Amino acid sequence: AVVAFTDTTGTSLEPVLALDNTEATTAWTPFTHTVTSSMAGHMIRVHFATTNNSTKGTSFYVDTLSHPASVGQ
């Protein structure tokens, strides 16, 4: 599974998280990510993508997504 920030055309701007099924777990994997200053002033999208094959079926779930924002000078 890959999570990335993209622009409005789908071009990847900043990777956020990458997971795979080589070390499978049944536990949640919490993470945080601080947006870099290069994203300031831009409209961005959060893009989630997964790839599976027939040998190891895999499920990825998102439980909670929070996006607090602050404006600085």
Side-chain angles (χ1 to χ4, degrees):
V2 175
V3 182
F5 293 132
T6 66
D7 64 16
T8 57
T9 67
T11 301
S12 183
L13 299 173
E14 184 175 310
V16 176
L17 177 70
L19 299 171
D20 61 41
N21 64 357
T22 57
E23 294 186 32
T25 179
T26 57
W28 290 100
T29 304
F31 76 97
T32 60
H33 180 81
T34 301
V35 178
T36 62
S37 61
S38 65
M39 299 291 111
H42 295 277
M43 179 181 291
I44 60 172
R45 295 179 177 172
V46 180
H47 178 82
F48 297 88
T50 63
T51 302
N52 291 298
N53 60 31
S54 61
T55 60
K56 286 190 175 183
T58 306
S59 298
F60 295 95
Y61 301 92
V62 175
D63 180 47
T64 304
L65 179 65
S66 174
H67 178 47
S70 62
V71 177
Q73 293 184 353

